[in-house]
Amino acid sequence: MIDLKKYKNEKYAIFQAKIIPDTKYEILGIYSADLKKIAKENKNNFEYLKENHYYFEEYMLHALILGYIKDFNYLIDNLSEFIYKIDNWALCDTLCSSLKITKKFKNEMFEFIKKFDNYGYQKRFFLVMLKCYYVEEEYLNYIFLKLNEIKTDEYYVNMAAAWLLSECYIKYHKETYDYLLNSKLNDFAYNKAISKIHDSYRVTKEEKSILEKLRRR
């Protein structure tokens, strides 16, 4: 067992509760840098993955330790159940960014994440994984197809869709521009994507001006 209570910070917990309003897990208020340090110190402590968690930071630590697993099959065995415990954007995105093993098992992970193309934070996991590891030419048509299917009003799903679409534009602006012209993505996510593209320093002023004309009113 890893005791995280000694690292808690009440003021930081109050701040985190404001930016992570959806979670049902109690927040201790532990800085990300400290959690990453603890995870590194316990990178081989896979027994922790079998323990019951109560605090938000315990789930975050779980996600970080999963990132140290080098056996892909063992990872998937531990990952499947954990994904259904995600109830906030921070835990979702931390998990996705920690799964760098995906770079070595692109096809296998791609088939795995398709199972979570449904709704809620599982859907966000699917979209953020695409954003982190699959914004490549061979996956673009698949990504555009999946974006067109999003009809939900779930805020964190739509924000993930916007984030994914903006990343597609930054890396493949011509293909993504063509998609934007005929996109069936809902208006909220579509316009948020244009806003995110507009905020990027990797996009020229000329491109931003053109994209503004595509914003839905």
Side-chain angles (χ1 to χ4, degrees):
M1 183 175 180
I2 303 172
D3 183 14
L4 295 179
K5 291 183 181 179
K6 59 184 177 181
Y7 299 97
K8 69 178 182 179
N9 181 313
E10 291 184 6
K11 288 185 178 180
Y12 189 56
I14 293 172
F15 169 75
Q16 282 192 302
K18 292 178 180 178
I19 64 172
I20 312 173
D22 285 4
T23 186
K24 62 181 177 290
Y25 306 127
E26 183 178 345
I27 298 175
L28 292 173
I30 302 175
Y31 291 106
S32 177
D34 290 331
L35 280 174
K36 289 179 179 178
K37 181 180 178 181
I38 297 167
K40 188 173 183 179
E41 293 170 348
N42 290 273
K43 62 182 181 181
N44 295 316
N45 184 3
F46 300 139
E47 287 299 314
Y48 182 78
L49 306 179
K50 301 176 183 179
E51 296 177 8
N52 293 322
H53 305 319
Y54 304 97
Y55 299 105
F56 163 72
E57 287 82 1
E58 289 178 326
Y59 286 95
M60 289 285 280
L61 183 58
H62 189 127
L64 291 168
I65 292 176
L66 282 172
Y68 283 103
I69 296 177
K70 296 180 180 180
D71 183 317
F72 183 78
N73 292 326
Y74 182 69
L75 169 65
I76 295 303
D77 289 342
N78 283 275
L79 187 57
S80 298
E81 182 179 353
F82 184 72
I83 291 171
Y84 289 102
K85 296 179 181 179
I86 296 173
D87 74 345
N88 63 85
W89 66 266
L91 179 56
C92 175
D93 297 2
T94 295
L95 175 63
C96 293
S97 63
S98 72
L99 296 177
K100 293 181 174 57
I101 193 175
T102 301
K103 297 174 183 179
K104 294 183 178 180
F105 296 91
K106 295 290 285 288
N107 293 334
E108 295 86 347
M109 186 65 85
F110 185 61
E111 293 303 316
F112 173 75
I113 67 173
K114 288 179 181 179
K115 301 174 185 177
F116 303 96
D117 178 22
N118 37 52
Y119 58 87
Y121 282 104
Q122 288 72 52
K123 180 76 169 184
R124 183 179 173 97
F125 168 79
F126 170 72
L127 294 171
V128 175
M129 283 296 289
L130 289 177
K131 181 265 174 189
C132 288
Y133 305 105
Y134 294 97
V135 180
E136 299 175 354
E137 188 172 3
E138 64 181 291
Y139 297 103
L140 279 181
N141 288 336
Y142 177 83
I143 290 173
F144 295 152
L145 174 66
K146 289 301 174 181
L147 289 173
N148 278 343
E149 293 176 354
I150 297 176
K151 308 300 180 185
T152 183
D153 60 356
E154 294 171 289
Y155 178 79
Y156 289 107
V157 170
N158 282 316
M159 290 302 289
W163 193 17
L164 171 59
L165 182 51
S166 66
E167 190 67 17
C168 288
Y169 182 86
I170 289 167
K171 292 184 177 180
Y172 297 96
H173 61 273
K174 182 183 184 301
E175 293 86 347
T176 308
Y177 178 80
D178 290 341
Y179 166 75
L180 287 167
L181 292 175
N182 300 286
S183 174
K184 296 179 182 178
L185 180 63
N186 67 73
D187 291 351
F188 177 82
Y190 178 94
N191 284 336
K192 281 293 183 181
I194 290 180
S195 295
K196 285 181 175 293
I197 295 168
H198 192 276
D199 291 340
S200 174
Y201 66 88
R202 293 179 286 176
V203 179
T204 67
K205 291 183 178 179
E206 291 75 17
E207 288 179 286
K208 292 177 181 179
S209 178
I210 293 172
L211 287 172
E212 276 300 312
K213 297 175 182 178
L214 298 182
R215 191 182 292 275
R216 295 173 185 167
R217 309 299 177 185

